[in-house]
C-alpha cells in the first residue's frame, strides 16, 4: 500500500477525499460480534447511547463547529455496507473459524444504516444521544467517537501551514517509531491495535498500523478496526464490551436478576462463540464482586480482560482466582487494554512473563499521542477521555461501576443501588487521562 503524505493531505482536506467515516467497517470488530448476538437474542430491546466527556476541562462545543459535526454524522448515516465488504465478512476466517457470521444476519446487515441522532449544546459541551433499537444504536458508538476526536484534531490544525504540519507529523512519526524500537526488545510481547475510538484521524491510525506491521512483525497480532484489517490483510480482533452486562442489568426486575446479569451475558455469548472469543470482561460492576459470585464454569473460559484495574494488581487477582479453582494460569490468557503506554506494557509483560499467556490491546496512546509534537504548544492535540456508553435500556437507566470509581457512569441513585448489590471492594480511584 503506498504511503500517504499525511501532512499534505491534511492541508488539502476535502469532503470527497477525506470524510471521517468512509465505511461501516470502520469500527471495532467486537461491535459486529456483539451485534450478531443482540440481533439474534434481543431484537425488541431498545437502548440509548450517550456521549460522555470525562475530561471536563475541555469544552468540546467551543472547539468543534456544530455544522461540521452534523455534516459528518449525517454522512455516516448515508453509508451502507458494500458488496465487497459483505463478501469479505462472509468468506473470511475469524479466530480460526469460517462463517462466524450467520447468513441471515449478513442478509439483514446488507441493508443496515445508522439511525438518527439527537444533538444539542449545553454549557460548552455537546449532548449527543442515539435512541432506538439496541441492534441499531450500538453501531453508533465507535463512529461517533471517531468523528468527534478527528474533528477536534482538525480544528487544532486549522491554523497550521504546510511546513508546521510537516513538522508536526515528522515529530509524531519519530515519537511513534521510538516506541516501536523499544517494543522490538520484547519479541514475545504480543500487541494489537485498539485505537479506533480515540484516534487522531483515520489516516494516522492507518499509518500506525502499517508502522507496527513493519516494525515488530509477528508480535503485531492484528487490529480491532475491521476496515483496516480487511485493507491491510490483518487479523480482525475483539471479543465483547461492557454494554452487554450494562443492558442486561438494566433489564433486571429485582436484585437477584441484577446480580446474575453478568453471567447471563456469558451464557448468551457462549451460545454464539467459543475458543479464543471466550474472554471474560469482569469489571462492569466490579471485579471483586464478579469473581466472588462467579459460577465454577466461568473458570473454563479462555481468559480475562481486566479493563479498569491496575494491570499487575488486576492480573494477579485473576491468577489467584484461577488457582483457587484448580486451573493452570499458564494455560490461560490475560488481555490488557486500559490506557496502555510502552512503560506499562513493558512492566506488565516482565511481571507476568512465564506465569500466564498475555496480549496487549494498545489504544489511545498508540493512535493519538501528539503531545509536544506541534511547533508551538497546542493543547487541542492532547487526547481526552471521551466515551459513548449505554445510558438506558427499555426506559430504565443503565449503570457501569468499574474498578475505578472515576469511570462509573449512570444515574447517581441507580449507582448507589448497584453498589448495595455488588459492593465496592477493591475499587480504587485512579486519574482518568484517556
Amino acid at each position: 500500500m503506498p504511503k500517504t503524505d499525511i501532512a499534505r493531505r491534511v492541508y488539502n482536506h476535502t469532503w470527497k477525499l477525506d470524510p471521517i467515516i468512509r465505511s461501516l467497517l470502520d469500527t471495532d470488530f467486537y461491535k459486529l460480534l456483539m451485534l450478531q448476538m443482540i440481533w439474534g437474542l434481543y431484537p425488541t430491546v431498545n437502548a440509548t447511547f450517550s456521549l460522555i466527556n470525562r475530561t471536563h476541562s475541555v469544552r468540546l462545543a467551543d472547539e468543534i463547529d456544530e455544522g461540521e459535526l452534523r455534516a459528518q454524522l449525517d454522512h455516516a448515516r448515508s453509508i451502507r455496507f458494500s458488496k465487497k465488504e459483505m463478501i469479505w465478512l462472509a468468506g473470511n476466517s475469524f479466530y480460526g473459524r469460517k462463517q462466524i457470521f450467520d447468513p441471515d444476519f449478513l442478509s439483514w446487515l446488507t441493508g443496515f444504516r445508522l439511525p438518527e441522532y439527537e444533538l444539542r449544546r449545553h454549557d460548552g459541551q455537546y449532548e449527543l444521544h442515539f435512541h432506538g433499537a439496541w441492534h441499531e444504536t450500538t453501531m453508533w458508538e465507535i463512529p461517533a467517537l471517531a468523528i468527534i476526536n478527528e474533528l477536534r484534531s482538525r480544528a487544532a490544525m486549522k491554523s497550521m501551514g504546510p511546513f508546521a504540519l510537516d513538522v508536526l507529523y515528522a515529530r509524531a512519526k519519530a515519537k511513534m517509531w521510538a516506541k516501536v524500537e523499544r517494543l522490538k526488545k520484547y519479541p514475545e510481547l504480543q500487541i494489537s491495535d485498539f485505537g479506533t475510538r480515540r484516534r487522531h484521524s483515520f489516516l494516522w491510525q492507518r499509518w500506525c498500523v502499517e508502522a507496527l506491521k513493519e516494525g515488530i512483525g509477528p508480535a503485531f497480532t492484528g487490529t480491532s478496526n475491521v476496515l483496516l484489517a480487511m485493507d491491510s490483510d490483518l487479523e480482525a480482533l475483539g471479543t465483547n464490551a461492557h454494554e452487554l452486562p450494562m443492558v442486561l442489568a438494566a433489564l433486571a426486575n429485582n436484585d437477584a436478576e441484577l446480580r446474575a446479569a453478568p453471567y447471563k451475558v456469558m451464557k448468551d455469548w457462549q451460545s454464539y462463540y467459543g475458543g479464543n472469543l471466550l474472554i471474560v470482561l469482569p469489571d462492569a460492576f466490579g471485579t471483586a464482586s464478579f469473581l466472588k459470585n462467579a459460577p465454577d464454569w466461568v473458570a473454563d473460559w479462555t481468559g480475562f480482560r481486566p479493563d479498569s484495574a491496575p494491570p499487575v494488581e488486576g492480573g494477579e487477582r485473576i491468577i489467584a482466582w484461577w488457582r483457587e479453582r484448580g486451573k493452570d494460569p499458564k494455560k490461560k490468557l490475560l488481555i490488557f487494554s486500559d490506557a496502555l503506554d510502552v512503560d506499562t506494557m513493558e512492566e506488565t509483560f516482565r511481571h507476568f512473563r512465564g506465569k500466564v499467556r498475555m496480549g496487549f490491546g494498545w489504544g489511545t496512546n498508540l493512535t493519538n499521542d501528539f503531545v509536544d509534537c506541534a511547533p508551538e504548544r497546542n493543547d487541542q492535540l492532547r487526547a481526552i477521555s471521551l466515551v459513548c456508553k449505554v445510558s438506558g435500556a427499555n426506559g430504565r437507566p443503565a449503570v457501569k461501576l468499574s474498578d475505578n470509581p472515576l469511570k462509573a457512569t449512570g444515574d447517581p441513585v441507580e449507582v448507589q443501588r448497584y453498589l448495595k448489590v455488588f459492593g465496592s471492594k477493591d475499587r480504587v480511584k485512579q486519574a482518568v487521562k484517556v
Side-chain angles (χ1 to χ4, degrees):
M1 181 183 296
K3 300 297 182 289
T4 301
D5 183 340
I6 301 178
R8 180 172 295 182
R9 185 85 156 255
V10 167
Y11 189 67
N12 296 301
H13 267 317
T14 66
W15 252 104
K16 184 176 181 181
L17 190 62
D18 284 315
I20 293 176
I21 301 300
R22 47 203 84 199
S23 165
L24 289 175
L25 284 187
D26 188 10
T27 192
D28 284 340
F29 186 54
Y30 69 7
K31 275 293 169 182
L32 295 179
L33 294 174
M34 291 191 296
L35 179 63
Q36 177 169 235
M37 191 190 92
I38 295 165
W39 173 84
L41 298 180
Y42 298 97
T44 62
V45 171
N46 288 328
T48 295
F49 282 73
S50 300
L51 182 74
I52 302 170
N53 179 10
R54 297 189 294 214
T55 308
H56 305 296
S57 60
V58 172
R59 295 168 61 89
L60 286 173
D62 294 343
E63 294 187 4
I64 296 172
D65 179 80
E66 183 177 344
E68 292 183 11
L69 175 54
R70 288 185 181 276
Q72 294 287 350
L73 293 170
D74 289 341
H75 173 75
R77 292 198 66 227
S78 73
I79 302 173
R80 304 290 186 277
F81 287 99
S82 71
K83 184 176 181 180
K84 171 189 172 183
E85 292 167 346
M86 297 307 301
I87 291 172
W88 183 79
L89 285 174
N92 199 46
S93 175
F94 300 101
Y95 282 82
R97 175 181 160 188
K98 292 185 177 180
Q99 294 183 327
I100 200 169
F101 295 113
D102 183 87
D104 289 339
F105 169 70
L106 291 177
S107 177
W108 171 81
L109 198 64
T110 301
F112 177 82
R113 65 175 296 186
L114 292 168
E116 295 181 356
Y117 59 89
E118 176 190 337
L119 176 68
R120 57 179 176 269
R121 302 162 69 104
H122 176 71
D123 193 23
Q125 300 293 346
Y126 282 116
E127 294 185 357
L128 179 59
H129 305 281
F130 308 99
H131 308 284
W134 186 14
H135 58 265
E136 295 178 347
T137 56
T138 182
M139 288 293 283
W140 257 124
E141 178 187 358
I142 307 303
L145 291 173
I147 286 169
I148 292 173
N149 278 291
E150 184 161 349
L151 282 177
R152 186 167 179 264
S153 297
R154 291 185 181 189
M157 297 184 294
K158 272 184 179 177
S159 62
M160 299 175 70
F163 287 95
L165 288 168
D166 268 337
V167 171
L168 172 72
Y169 283 104
R171 289 176 177 172
K173 288 178 179 179
K175 189 176 187 179
M176 167 60 188
W177 196 252
K179 297 176 184 181
V180 170
E181 290 178 329
R182 284 179 62 182
L183 292 168
K184 281 182 178 180
K185 300 174 184 177
Y186 301 91
E188 297 175 1
L189 198 165
Q190 296 195 325
I191 294 173
S192 53
D193 158 44
F194 278 17
T196 300
R197 66 187 60 211
R198 297 195 197 104
R199 67 192 181 196
H200 168 82
S201 71
F202 172 81
L203 295 177
W204 181 248
Q205 183 183 14
R206 188 174 69 183
W207 189 92
C208 292
V209 164
E210 291 170 351
L212 282 175
K213 188 176 180 180
E214 177 179 322
I216 64 174
F220 181 47
T221 55
T223 174
S224 67
N225 187 290
V226 190
L227 179 62
L228 291 176
M230 182 181 74
D231 289 346
S232 303
D233 194 26
L234 290 166
E235 292 292 330
L237 301 173
T239 52
N240 53 76
H242 296 108
E243 71 175 89
L244 298 181
M246 288 174 70
V247 170
L248 265 67
L251 299 178
N253 292 310
N254 52 57
D255 287 352
E257 289 185 8
L258 176 58
R259 194 175 291 109
Y263 315 111
K264 183 177 188 320
V265 167
M266 295 176 65
K267 283 291 190 182
D268 288 345
W269 188 260
Q270 198 166 6
S271 72
Y272 274 76
Y273 308 112
N276 282 342
L277 285 170
L278 296 181
I279 302 297
V280 183
L281 184 60
D283 69 316
F285 311 120
T287 298
S289 172
F290 180 92
L291 295 177
K292 178 182 176 181
N293 297 305
D296 289 341
W297 55 262
V298 172
D300 295 327
W301 274 39
T302 303
F304 274 67
R305 179 163 72 93
D307 186 60
S308 57
V312 171
E313 292 91 328
E316 284 291 353
R317 192 185 311 158
I318 292 164
I319 285 175
W321 183 84
W322 275 325
R323 286 177 175 152
E324 289 171 1
R325 280 149 185 79
K327 304 299 180 181
D328 181 0
K330 292 181 181 180
K331 297 180 181 179
K332 296 294 186 177
L333 174 65
L334 288 177
I335 298 175
F336 301 98
S337 60
D338 183 34
L340 297 181
D341 55 26
V342 176
D343 289 341
T344 306
M345 288 190 285
E346 287 179 341
E347 176 189 353
T348 305
F349 177 75
R350 288 194 297 263
H351 179 88
F352 287 110
R353 182 162 45 187
K355 297 181 179 180
V356 67
R357 294 160 54 213
M358 285 176 277
F360 294 84
W362 196 6
T364 309
N365 288 312
L366 166 66
T367 60
N368 201 351
D369 183 5
F370 279 71
V371 174
D372 298 329
C373 292
E376 298 180 1
R377 180 179 174 126
N378 192 331
D379 287 337
Q380 280 183 257
L381 285 168
R382 186 182 295 270
I384 63 174
S385 184
L386 191 69
V387 295
C388 184
K389 292 290 184 184
V390 177
S391 56
N394 280 1
R396 300 178 179 181
V399 168
K400 178 189 174 189
L401 294 180
S402 175
D403 287 327
N404 180 357
L406 296 181
K407 284 190 170 184
T409 63
D411 176 81
V413 174
E414 281 296 286
V415 168
Q416 290 305 311
R417 182 171 80 88
Y418 276 54
L419 285 171
K420 289 180 181 178
V421 172
F422 293 104
S424 58
K425 184 180 178 182
D426 295 334
R427 297 177 78 231
V428 179
K429 288 185 178 180
Q430 304 172 79
V432 179
K433 297 179 181 179
V434 293

